[in-house]
Amino acid sequence: MTGRGQARAGDLLELVRSGRATTRGALQQATGLSRATVGQRLDRLFRAGWLREGAGGPVDSPLGGRPSITLEFDDEHAVVLAADLDTRHARAAVLSLAGEILAEHSGTLVIEDGPDVVLGELGRWFAELLEKAGQPARTVCGIGLAVPGPVDSDTGRVVQPPIMPGWDGHDIRGRLAGAFAECAGEGAGVVPVLVDNDANLMAYGEQRTGYADCSAFVLVKVSTGIGAGVVVDGSIYRGIDGGAGDIGHIRVGTEALCRCGAYGCLAAVASGGAVARRLAEAGLPTASGSDVRDLLAAGHPEAVGLAREAGRLVGDVLATVVTLLNPGVLMIAGDLAGTPFLTGVRELLYQRALPRSTAHLDVVTARLGERAGLVGAGALVVEHLYAPERVEERLLAMGV
């Protein structure tokens, strides 16, 4: 927030959204602004439709009087679109600003078909989902997209993604915004599109909804590939150019050829794709991590054994991750995130990591399941659009 006595409308909105100040009096106290200035700032937010008055709060004065009128963020004035891409499957949804899923669709979408095809299809899905949710296109304030590759968050472009051929450097934001506007028709303006790595957004969604008090949170997604999302002090840690968390390409001393072109990567021997290949070599019809997930659900003994072995390999690497980051929660997610894999992770993690690093560590599986990426993508859009500095830009653009 800006200095005391200089708070903008966006700063006041942030105080209300966070619950730190929810009455006019509390906003005056928190910001040092006069009653008249607080009123002027709030008037802009009311005219934009972003604030509403709630029920009366407790009476602050011992002498009695009228209860203070509480202020609330109006999470019904707009909706967010979100999509989560995997290698052969995708999920999309319409979400409220509070993160509630209003309409959802999942289906086959092959990422190797390239960005034009995949993003064009997502545009069609979004248009259909808005109709299903009963929301006009003009209510969409932004789109969030999770992709299975490293992303430069400044540009929204994937950078040398090992399992996304044809996507490197593509203008994902522009293509998806255009596809949505074209498919949604009248009322659909050009909306902002935010793109991030799928493990990052899964971690963000899970941390915000289930572990908000955890200041160091790590999620590891093990599906066709392997990636990690790290949330520190409530914010995604991306590294200098979006490459943080790419643990699937840590060398583990084998000669297996990885899809990135290198030999010995963790993903080449312990991902869902690697387990699927080994099962296929044994005569089982498996082509991806989702096929392995189905075999694990059926209790297939060979799949169970390979998943546990993969968990041990990942657990060995995670011992280093835990020692470096000292997280409070380590969450396992993705196609292999079941008991056999988790057992293997625990075996090596607790064997290799120092007791000091694991003394206060919870090793858990995902709570939100396949919706984690959608929830994280939606939350990313909301936090971006309603950040104090962005609020000022948007209010000025609206003429408010």
Side-chain angles (χ1 to χ4, degrees):
M1 191 170 74
T2 52
R4 185 171 174 82
Q6 300 176 346
R8 304 158 296 181
D11 296 312
L12 269 61
L13 183 65
E14 177 67 17
L15 288 168
V16 173
R17 289 186 63 229
S18 66
R20 286 177 286 164
T22 58
T23 66
R24 288 169 172 80
L27 288 170
Q28 286 178 243
Q29 187 174 12
T31 62
L33 296 176
S34 68
R35 179 177 180 179
T37 303
V38 166
Q40 291 168 358
R41 303 278 197 274
L42 292 179
D43 182 59
R44 297 177 69 198
L45 298 172
F46 277 114
R47 282 187 284 147
W50 298 350
L51 274 189
R52 64 189 175 199
E53 292 186 341
V59 177
D60 296 330
S61 171
L63 300 177
R66 292 183 180 179
S68 300
I69 299 298
T70 59
L71 303 169
E72 300 174 350
F73 177 61
D74 187 345
D75 55 23
E76 297 178 354
H77 73 267
V79 295
V80 173
L81 299 175
D84 186 3
L85 298 179
D86 210 328
T87 52
R88 304 188 63 82
H89 183 270
R91 187 174 294 270
V94 180
L95 296 94
S96 74
L97 298 182
E100 178 188 359
I101 293 180
L102 306 177
E104 185 178 8
H105 174 73
S106 63
T108 300
L109 208 51
V110 181
I111 209 158
E112 290 186 354
D113 288 343
D116 281 334
V117 172
V118 171
L119 299 176
E121 184 65 15
L122 277 183
R124 286 186 283 276
W125 286 13
F126 284 149
E128 293 170 0
L129 283 168
L130 284 171
E131 187 174 347
K132 182 178 178 182
Q135 295 284 344
R138 58 179 170 74
T139 63
V140 176
C141 63
I143 299 174
L145 178 65
V147 297
V151 177
D152 182 334
S153 59
D154 289 337
T155 66
R157 298 172 188 252
V158 292
V159 182
Q160 300 177 358
I163 59 175
M164 299 177 69
W167 290 72
D168 186 22
H170 189 83
D171 181 15
I172 296 175
R173 290 176 176 172
R175 173 65 178 125
L176 185 53
F180 167 66
E182 180 182 341
C183 296
E186 187 177 352
V190 178
V191 297
V193 176
L194 273 66
V195 186
D196 210 327
N197 171 262
D198 55 356
N200 283 349
L201 292 180
M202 290 174 70
Y204 195 50
E206 292 279 7
Q207 189 270 340
R208 286 175 60 86
T209 58
Y211 299 91
D213 294 333
C214 181
S215 61
F217 179 97
V218 176
L219 178 143
V220 179
K221 179 185 178 184
V222 186
S223 291
T224 299
I226 301 175
V230 180
V231 180
V232 177
D233 292 334
S235 298
I236 298 172
Y237 178 74
R238 299 182 177 90
I240 196 167
D241 63 0
D246 203 2
I247 65 170
H249 300 286
I250 292 175
R251 304 295 175 84
V252 292
T254 76
E255 293 304 314
L257 177 63
C258 182
R259 293 183 66 170
C260 73
Y263 289 88
C265 295
L266 179 65
V269 292
S271 65
V275 173
R277 284 193 296 274
R278 292 184 64 179
L279 289 171
E281 290 167 1
L284 292 167
T286 50
S288 66
S290 59
D291 294 332
V292 178
R293 179 187 60 201
D294 294 340
L295 289 173
L296 290 172
H300 191 282
E302 191 159 0
V304 167
L306 289 175
R308 182 165 180 170
E309 181 182 331
R312 288 171 59 85
L313 291 167
V314 173
D316 196 9
V317 169
L318 289 179
T320 300
V321 172
V322 165
T323 301
L324 177 66
L325 297 177
N326 189 211
V329 175
L330 172 62
M331 178 174 284
I332 307 299
D335 292 328
L336 298 193
T339 300
F341 185 87
L342 189 63
T343 299
V345 167
R346 288 176 178 274
E347 286 177 8
L348 263 289
L349 173 62
Y350 288 106
Q351 177 183 324
R352 299 291 170 84
L354 291 173
R356 171 70 182 81
S357 300
T358 58
H360 301 100
L361 176 68
D362 289 331
V363 182
V364 299
T365 53
R367 291 186 174 189
L368 297 175
E370 295 182 339
R371 289 179 164 178
L374 295 177
V375 173
L380 187 73
V381 171
V382 172
E383 293 307 314
H384 171 79
L385 291 178
Y386 296 94
E389 62 277 6
R390 198 84 55 224
V391 164
E392 292 301 316
E393 294 174 6
R394 295 176 65 201
L395 288 175
L396 288 172
M398 295 166 66
V400 173

